[in-house]
Each structure stands twice: as structure tokens, then as C-alpha cells.
């Protein structure tokens, strides 16, 4: 009976046959989101044992999303071994300062989890296991723990880096990924996988398996490895397969993909669900449209998401941007023939989605604004930049998105350049201050 009272989330867009092979017990009335099974955990274990997998999950990119995913997996009663991949010594030291733990607060209550393994990469791209420190005070504690080289293959990797950092981050770890591995990508924007296929895994026969996703939980950083879960969202997942885009075809998935899909969809705090490739693409495009409006406007105006709703001028700009975005999405060749696309991506429906999201996340600082404030590069090339690129392919000029993209890039560069001392680009076209004519 006890397992029935401890439900495991299984809120899916589509039923998975791997799930159907085990016996479900619905825990409340019809239509309930939570289902549990009597032999789930046994089944999960056998799934990776049968597939010759270690069951270990590596996480690359330890910002809000990476920390939340690691923490969520650690809350499972039968948590998998989790390795946090650290790219530099600062993160490792920060993590040690936090005594090797990640904290997530929900409704003001902190939940702290530990027991994570750490791997760090050196300047030559070699990964080493960092033994976990004994955090009790001891006179024998060494400052820097001994490390052991570990460049062994990785079964399951979750990449939570920003869109524009994904390629760079994968360069250091690609030698540990084989065609049997599965990478789950979580980032804003679109077009990253095309870049990864061109530059990191150009040979389709040696390429790892991919899971694409749309992640919509609201997270804010309170401190290093301490985040607040501001708004419950969902985590929609779809493995990339060569089969029909309108079907979830589990038989075509590699064992590591099956294992990771099952693990994520059975981790309640993630509210993860499986979708068909075509279904996921439409969620990605909806999220893209929202990110193309909220993120750059909050960045350029340095305001919270909710503040966008209090100005007539913002609503005008939103509307004009969405006309271009809607025109490009509705003309995409991959969506031709999909029923209801014109309605789903009409400027008016997209506007309602944007307004609702801005209202729901009113207090939030968008991720792009956070990047701008921290003088970091933004994801603009994969949001408005993606719309401009796809528009060019289709003969649709997206001048407003083009302008917004450059304004955001300029704003971030300005912040960075001011720190470094900078040289203006356009010296030859000075305007004569007296005559207001271009000088020679
Ligand atoms: C909700 C959202 C659009 C803005 O906070 C979020 O996706 C973000 O910050 O990128």
C-alpha cells in the first residue's frame, strides 16, 4: 500500500509502450496525473542491466537548469548515480564550499541534496574523477583532493548549457560519447543540433542518440548551487529518430535512450513527458516565439517580464515582432501539411501566449536579461537570429527581428567593451557635429 501513497509522476502526452509493459495502478480518480506501478523500480534496474548500461547520468552545465535536474534526480527513492561535469576550478571550489550539495527551494522550503560525483576537465581535455571530500572538519583534510583520470565512455549525458555554449562544451567531452550514448539537450532557442551535427559529430554513423526537449520550469538563482523553483512547468521530451515524426516509436530507441527517457519521465519534480518529434517541434516553436519577444525586450529595457505588460509601446513592438515570427513559422517546410498550424501560430494566439507567460513570470528576470547584466553572451543567435535565418531561406525579410538581434548584441557588447576600453567600428563615417553632414 505504501508505494501507492508515494506516487511517481507519469504525466505524458503519449503513452509509452515501455511503460505499458509494467502494471499500472492509478492512484486517484480517472484523469489523475499520477500513476504508480508495483514493480517500477525493479523494472528500471533491469532495463539498464539488460542494456549493459551503468545507469549513471552525467550532467554538463550546472546553472539553474542543470542544478535543478541533478537535484530532481537525487530526490528519487532509487536515485541513479549522478556525475556533475565541471568545466573549471571555480565551479568545483564553489561546489565544495556548498559542501557538495544542491539546494532547491519551493514555496520557501529548502530541500538540500548531496551524494553527487564530480568529474573535472583539465586544459588538455582529460576528465578526472574528483573524490568527494569528507565535509566533517578534520586535521587530515587535504586542500585539493587527489583525482583519478576517467575518460571512459558516457551512457547518458544531459547538456544544460546555454545554446551558444553547447558546441564548445561538447568539444571537451565528445571523445567519451559513442553511437550507443544518449545526449539530452536542454536550452532556449533552436538550430543548435544543426551546428552540433556539422561540427562535433559530422559522421551520422558514429553520432550519439539525441533527445530534444522544451523545459518550462521557472527557476531563479539565490546563491551558488542554491535555486528557487518559482513556477512549476513541464519538461517535454522527444528522442530524435529517422522514423515517422508523428509517432513515438520506442522500438527505434537505443537502450540508453530508453533508460534516460524512463528515468526522466519517472522523476516527479521534473513533470517530464514524452512527445512525438512533430509535437515537440511545435512546442519548441511556441517557446521560441515567446523567447523572441520577452527575452530581448526585457534585456533592452532592463525590466522584469511583468513590466512589459504596462506600456502601450511594448505591446506595439510585440505585435510587430510576432507578425514576422508567425509568417516565418507558418511557412516552414517541415510544418507544411500539419493540421491547424496557421491557427496555432497566428500572431494573435502567439500574442496571448506571450502575455500569459509574462504575467505568470511577472517577477522574473529573463535569462537573457541576466546574461546582459552579467556581461555574458546571450542566446539571441538561436532565438531572433534563428527566425531571421529561416526567414532568409524562405524569402521573408524579418527586419524587426534583425534589428532586435543587433540591438541586444550591441547592448551586451557595450557592457563588455566599457570594461575593456574599446575602439569604435565606423571611424570613416563621422558626422560633422557643426553641419550634421557625414565627414570625409
Ligand atoms: C519565461 C522566460 C521566457 C522568461 O523568463 C524564460 O524562458 C527565460 O527566462 O528565458
Amino acid at each position: 500500500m505504501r508505494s501507492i501513497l508515494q506516487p511517481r509522476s507519469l504525466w505524458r502526452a503519449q503513452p509509452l509502450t515501455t511503460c505499458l509493459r509494467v502494471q499500472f495502478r492509478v492512484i486517484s480518480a480517472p484523469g489523475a496525473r499520477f500513476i504508480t506501478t508495483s514493480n517500477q523500480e525493479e523494472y528500471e534496474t533491469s532495463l539498464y542491466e539488460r542494456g549493459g548500461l551503468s545507469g549513471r547520468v552525467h550532467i554538463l552545465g550546472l546553472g539553474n537548469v542543470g542544478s535543478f535536474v541533478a537535484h530532481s534526480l537525487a530526490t528519487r527513492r532509487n536515485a541513479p548515480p549522478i556525475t556533475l561535469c565541471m568545466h573549471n576550478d571555480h565551479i568545483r571550489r564553489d561546489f565544495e564550499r556548498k559542501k557538495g550539495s544542491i539546494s532547491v527551494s519551493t514555496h520557501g522550503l529548502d530541500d538540500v541534496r548531496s551524494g553527487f560525483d564530480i568529474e573535472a576537465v583539465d586544459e588538455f581535455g582529460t576528465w578526472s574523477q574528483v573524490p568527494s571530500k569528507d565535509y566533517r572538519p578534520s586535521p587530515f583534510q587535504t586542500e585539493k583532493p587527489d583525482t583519478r583520470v576517467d575518460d571512459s565512455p558516457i551512457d547518458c549525458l544531459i547538456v544544460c548549457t546555454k545554446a551558444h555554449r553547447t558546441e564548445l562544451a561538447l568539444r571537451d567531452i565528445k571523445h567519451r560519447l559513442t553511437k550507443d550514448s544518449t545526449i539530452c539537450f536542454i536550452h532556449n532557442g533552436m538550430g543548435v543540433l544543426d551546428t552540433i551535427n556539422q561540427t562535433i559529430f559530422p559522421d551520422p554513423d558514429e553520432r550519439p542518440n539525441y533527445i530534444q526537449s522544451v523545459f518550462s520550469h521557472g527557476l531563479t538563482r539565490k546563491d551558488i548551487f542554491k535555486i528557487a523553483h518559482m513556477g512549476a512547468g513541464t519538461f517535454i521530451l522527444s528522442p530524435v529518430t529517422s522514423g515517422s515524426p508523428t509517432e513515438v516509436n520506442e522500438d527505434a530507441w537505443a537502450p540508453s535512450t530508453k533508460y534516460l527517457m524512463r528515468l526522466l519521465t519517472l522523476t516527479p519534480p521534473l513533470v517530464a513527458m514524452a512527445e512525438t518529434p512533430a509535437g515537440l517541434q511545435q512546442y519548441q516553436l511556441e517557446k521560441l516565439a515567446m523567447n523572441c519577444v520577452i527575452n530581448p525586450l526585457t534585456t533592452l529595457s532592463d525590466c522584469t517580464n511583468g513590466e512589459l505588460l504596462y506600456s502601450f509601446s511594448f505591446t506595439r513592438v510585440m505585435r510587430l515582432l510576432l507578425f514576422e515570427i508567425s509568417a516565418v513559422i507558418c511557412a516552414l517546410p517541415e510544418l507544411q501539411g500539419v493540421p491547424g498550424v496557421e491557427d496555432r501560430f497566428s500572431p494573435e494566439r502567439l500574442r496571448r501566449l506571450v502575455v500569459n507567460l509574462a504575467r505568470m513570470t511577472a517577477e522574473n528576470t529573463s535569462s537573457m536579461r541576466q546574461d546582459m547584466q552579467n556581461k555574458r553572451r546571450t542566446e539571441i543567435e538561436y532565438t531572433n537570429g534563428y527566425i531571421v535565418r529561416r526567414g532568409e531561406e524562405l524569402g521573408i525579410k524579418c527586419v524587426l527581428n534583425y534589428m532586435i538581434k543587433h540591438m541586444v548584441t550591441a547592448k551586451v557588447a557595450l557592457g563588455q567593451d566599457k570594461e575593456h576600453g574599446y575602439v569604435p567600428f565606423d571611424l570613416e563615417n563621422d558626422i560633422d557635429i557643426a553641419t550634421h553632414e557625414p565627414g570625409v
Side-chain angles (χ1 to χ4, degrees), residues 8-20 22 24 32-35 37 40 44 235-237 248 250 253 258 260-267 271-275 283:
R8 317 295 298 271
S9 145
L10 251 181
W11 189 25
R12 295 179 196 290
Q14 291 263 325
L16 295 180
T17 52
T18 40
C19 306
L20 296 176
V22 290
F24 288 140
R33 279 168 35 192
F34 297 110
I35 305 172
T37 67
Q40 256 170 10
E44 280 166 43
F235 182 27
I236 308 173
L237 300 159
V248 172
E250 272 187 82
W253 298 351
K258 268 187 199 165
L260 191 55
M261 284 294 285
R262 185 159 179 87
L263 189 70
L264 295 172
T265 53
L266 287 171
T267 299
V271 197
M273 57 184 109
E275 245 302 349
Y283 283 118

Side-chain angles (χ1 to χ4, degrees), residues 188 287 290-291 294-295 305 357 361 364-368 379:
N188 278 337
K287 176 130 197 266
M290 295 186 267
N291 286 139
I294 297 180
N295 294 23
N305 297 354
L357 186 61
T361 58
N364 285 21
T365 285
S366 73
S367 51
M368 194 172 278
E379 293 178 308

